[in-house]
Amino acid sequence: MHDRTAALDNLLNQCLAAFVEAGTLDLSLDQLASQVGSSKRMLVHYFGGRENIEQRAMTRLEERLRARFATDSFPRGATPEVVVTALWNRATASESRGVLLLVMDLSRRAWNGSKRAKAFYEEQQRLWVELLLKFLPDQPAVEEVLQLFQGALLAYLITGDRESGRRALIRAVAGRHKTHRHLISRKKNRNAKPA
């Protein structure tokens, strides 16, 4: 039983790798089988059909993204600028291009009404907000940075220019972080008791 589970897990990893390489879930079962070195019949046998393969691949992608962008992967006390720069570098690394394209494909599916793709998108949004709030504890600022990050990623995918997006993000985060620190300082001064 353990060997079968390991083989199935390996096959799922290969399917996800094929989707990432293609940058889309829109591979036919024949294309997918060819990519993973199996047959269409065996994929259906193991997974029960194309939709199940996609579902399980999205779940596996979620697990990998959650691990890759986990809060504990950043040094304790890191500034928002350091965290956003690290996130940008990870997201725009050359080996991440297929993942970005696959996430964009899932976003397209969400726009077109796929409930599973919309759930994937919403979970990614929630995880990013949760992560960013650990380093920039200002909900509106985090939401703005996330929107800017997503726009910068789209521009990067189109132009290939990593620097303009990185600079825009750092400016935005530095400004929001400075404003947040200033507000905390003012609040502390107001609450301080006269000597």
Side-chain angles (χ1 to χ4, degrees), residues 111-130:
W111 299 326
N112 289 327
S114 166
K115 288 182 177 152
R116 177 61 177 105
K118 185 175 180 185
F120 174 88
Y121 176 81
E122 288 171 347
E123 177 64 4
Q124 294 311 303
Q125 294 289 105
R126 186 190 69 73
L127 291 170
W128 276 78
V129 167
E130 182 180 288

Side-chain angles (χ1 to χ4, degrees), residues 50-129:
R50 176 170 178 63
E51 188 172 304
N52 286 338
I53 295 170
E54 287 182 6
Q55 295 289 334
R56 292 177 76 171
M58 279 192 276
T59 300
R60 180 63 49 93
L61 179 61
E62 285 175 326
E63 292 165 359
R64 289 187 178 172
L65 290 172
R66 190 174 297 118
R68 187 166 187 207
F69 295 102
T71 304
D72 60 1
S73 67
F74 300 97
R76 189 174 178 94
T79 65
E81 294 88 341
V82 167
V83 172
V84 168
T85 298
L87 289 169
W88 180 256
N89 290 340
R90 290 177 193 178
T92 60
S94 59
E95 64 271 9
S96 297
R97 185 168 178 78
V99 172
L100 282 177
L101 292 172
L102 185 54
V103 169
M104 290 296 175
D105 181 55
L106 290 168
S107 296
R108 177 187 55 83
R109 286 171 174 236
W111 299 326
N112 289 327
S114 166
K115 288 182 177 152
R116 177 61 177 105
K118 185 175 180 185
F120 174 88
Y121 176 81
E122 288 171 347
E123 177 64 4
Q124 294 311 303
Q125 294 289 105
R126 186 190 69 73
L127 291 170
W128 276 78
V129 167

